[in-house]
Amino acid sequence: MSDLQRSFAKVKLAGLPAEPPLPPNVTVEENQFAEEDTDELQALPEPEQDEDSSSASSASSASSTGTIRPNSKHLFARPTGLSSGSRALNPLPWTDYFTQEYYLEIVHPDETVIHHAYVKLPGPKGPLFVLHHGAGSSGLSFALFAAELLKALPNCGVVSVDARGHGKTVVKTPNGEIKGEPYDLSLDVLSSDLTNTVKLLQARLGWPELPNMVLVGHSLGGPIVTDVAWKGTLGHSVLGYAVLDVVEGSAMDALQKMNSYLATRPKTFPSVASGIDWHTRSRTLRNSTSARISVPSLLYQTPTSGTHLPGRGPWMWRTDLSVTEHYWENWFTGLSRKFLEAKGGKLLILAGTDRLDKELMIGQMQGKYQLQVFPDAGHFIQEDQPARTAMVVADFYHRNDRSALVLPPKVGEMLKPEHK
């Protein structure tokens, strides 16, 4: 710098105000540290190298761009006390999701059926949602869905049934002996069972008439609730019906591969926890909480080999789906036609649009029903995405709630003197 430049700088600096005093609550030491922090950037710590090369590469990239990354090893570390690979597999009680369970007996000439249902009763003038599970499942497959539905509609009631041969529903011979497989699982019988369960509950509770209802069926439950609505066996109380991830065309195609699928499933499990684990690892169920609720009801413990001691052997499937093969076509034949013809609002929730058959595609273009697609869900839509499913079903109820309709006055009423 030249002498002329130095002289010019001194003149300018002399004219600047003096340095302001320090704030009273800042000590000299603190101010010195503050100056150090602003004057000199501290070096970033070197990121830890992950065991695999891809993680090491990404760490190097983050360091070169000046991005601070949390230690991935600690970010995804399991809580203390859990061994690696362990996760919660203990069953969850149904009482966390329903308030009551009912055993409803009906006597037929050739058998007695004790229908079982998980229930939460509706409030005053609240709607009732009647839920029916799919083949091999149980009423607890709707547990999380029911809880979410009650959040959206606190005044509603829920009845989630166990079909015969499933869950806790029992069929007895005229002599009082419990029937085993094979059960009569024809569509007419299952449809009649659902109607009987609702009417038996009405009689048990002393309801003079049925509340407004929405029927919801998953998989096999879809044809059952559709058949009930189509036949009108529950009268005008049915506002509408919802079918979850089943249509006639794709169901009939899938039946050709059903035996192959059943052959890949384990025949037994050493424990309930291992059954829950298989359902989540195989992605049969994508919601581990729902698996902990519903899977225990799908299994029963056999006696120890060579003995009659109860509850000592492996756990087996409660419902042997392979013995129901001769009913498979009966369940789904005519489903699309009935779905479009039955009275009431219609809702179809699918895991993919590829499941639509020709009749339903035409019906959708004509606006005959409401279609919702959950591409991220598996087949068990109400278990994989219970909150989203409940939201759609609650909205469907609001759309079809007759009690909310306000009709305009008739022309004759408008012409009366008091309206002039």
Side-chain angles (χ1 to χ4, degrees):
M1 182 183 293
S2 67
D3 294 337
L4 178 61
Q5 288 174 326
R6 288 193 185 94
S7 303
F8 181 79
K10 286 180 181 180
V11 172
K12 288 294 184 183
L13 290 173
L16 293 176
E19 183 175 319
L22 294 175
N25 59 341
V26 178
T27 65
V28 176
E29 291 79 11
E30 290 175 314
N31 188 58
Q32 289 175 345
F33 285 125
E35 289 179 353
E36 290 174 2
D37 288 339
T38 55
D39 290 345
E40 182 179 354
L41 290 176
Q42 301 299 315
L44 293 175
E46 288 295 328
E48 294 186 17
Q49 298 296 316
D50 293 336
E51 294 178 2
D52 59 302
S53 59
S54 61
S55 298
S57 173
S58 62
S60 175
S61 173
S63 177
S64 65
T65 58
T67 303
I68 300 176
R69 248 191 355 149
N71 186 341
S72 61
K73 290 183 178 179
H74 295 120
L75 180 64
F76 300 106
R78 294 184 180 275
T80 304
L82 290 178
S83 60
S84 60
S86 66
R87 62 183 185 278
L89 297 173
N90 56 301
L92 297 175
W94 66 266
T95 50
D96 290 347
Y97 306 92
F98 301 94
T99 57
Q100 297 165 284
E101 62 176 347
Y102 282 85
Y103 292 89
L104 306 162
E105 181 175 311
I106 183 169
V107 179
H108 300 287
D110 57 340
E111 64 184 12
T112 296
V113 184
I114 304 174
H115 297 286
H116 177 264
Y118 300 96
V119 178
K120 187 273 179 184
L121 297 177
K125 298 184 179 180
L128 183 66
F129 290 82
V130 180
L131 317 175
H132 201 296
H133 60 82
S137 193
S138 81
L140 290 180
S141 64
F142 281 98
L144 285 183
F145 167 83
E148 295 294 338
L149 188 63
L150 289 167
K151 293 178 184 177
L153 300 169
N155 200 41
C156 79
V158 174
V159 176
S160 190
V161 305
D162 286 336
R164 62 172 62 200
H166 297 71
K168 297 181 181 179
T169 291
V170 175
V171 182
K172 293 184 177 181
T173 66
N175 297 329
E177 298 177 355
I178 296 178
K179 274 188 177 181
E181 292 177 316
Y183 301 97
D184 186 350
L185 296 178
S186 62
L187 182 59
D188 283 341
V189 169
L190 295 175
S191 172
S192 177
D193 282 349
L194 181 60
T195 299
N196 289 335
T197 301
V198 175
K199 291 185 175 180
L200 288 168
L201 183 64
Q202 177 189 7
R204 174 76 64 87
L205 298 173
W207 289 340
E209 60 183 17
L210 289 171
N212 287 333
M213 290 183 291
V214 173
L215 311 180
V216 182
H218 169 253
S219 197
L220 168 59
I224 294 171
V225 300
T226 299
D227 193 62
V228 170
W230 186 68
K231 292 177 178 176
T233 52
L234 290 175
H236 299 291
S237 296
V238 177
L239 301 178
Y241 48 97
V243 173
L244 309 185
D245 206 45
V246 60
V247 297
E248 181 178 351
S250 60
M252 298 297 284
D253 292 340
L255 293 180
Q256 302 173 12
K257 303 175 182 178
M258 182 59 69
N259 280 318
S260 299
Y261 164 72
L262 294 177
T264 64
R265 298 198 310 174
K267 303 298 182 185
T268 63
F269 299 97
S271 65
V272 172
S274 64
I276 296 172
D277 187 51
W278 178 83
H279 277 82
T280 55
R281 287 185 181 275
S282 65
R283 304 279 287 170
T284 301
L285 296 178
R286 303 181 184 186
N287 186 324
S288 60
T289 301
S290 188
R292 293 165 64 192
I293 305 165
S294 63
V295 171
S297 64
L298 312 183
L299 308 173
Y300 75 97
Q301 193 168 25
T302 60
T304 304
S305 179
T307 73
H308 297 286
L309 297 175
R312 298 293 182 87
W315 293 78
M316 298 185 65
W317 298 103
R318 187 176 297 277
T319 305
D320 185 356
L321 290 177
S322 62
V323 302
T324 67
E325 182 176 2
H326 57 289
Y327 294 114
W328 292 348
E329 289 192 15
N330 166 257
W331 291 342
F332 303 109
T333 300
L335 171 59
S336 295
R337 175 179 58 84
K338 290 180 182 179
F339 178 78
L340 296 172
E341 290 179 356
K343 294 181 179 180
K346 308 166 188 16
L347 170 63
L348 179 61
I349 305 180
L350 300 176
T353 53
D354 58 315
R355 290 165 168 79
L356 284 178
D357 55 29
K358 182 178 179 180
E359 278 187 271
L360 292 179
M361 290 180 68
I362 294 174
Q364 170 63 15
M365 290 187 286
Q366 294 173 341
K368 291 186 176 181
Y369 64 93
Q370 178 184 342
L371 174 65
Q372 197 78 32
V373 180
F374 295 173
D376 297 331
H379 176 55
F380 291 85
I381 290 178
Q382 80 281 11
E383 296 199 63
D384 293 347
Q385 298 190 9
R388 191 177 176 191
T389 307
M391 185 182 301
V392 171
V393 172
D395 179 68
F396 172 72
Y397 160 71
H398 285 303
R399 290 170 179 261
N400 293 278
D401 180 15
R402 291 192 292 262
S403 65
L405 291 176
V406 179
L407 299 177
K410 295 181 180 178
V411 174
E413 294 292 329
M414 296 177 64
L415 295 178
K416 288 182 179 180
E418 56 268 24
H419 288 282
K420 291 183 179 179

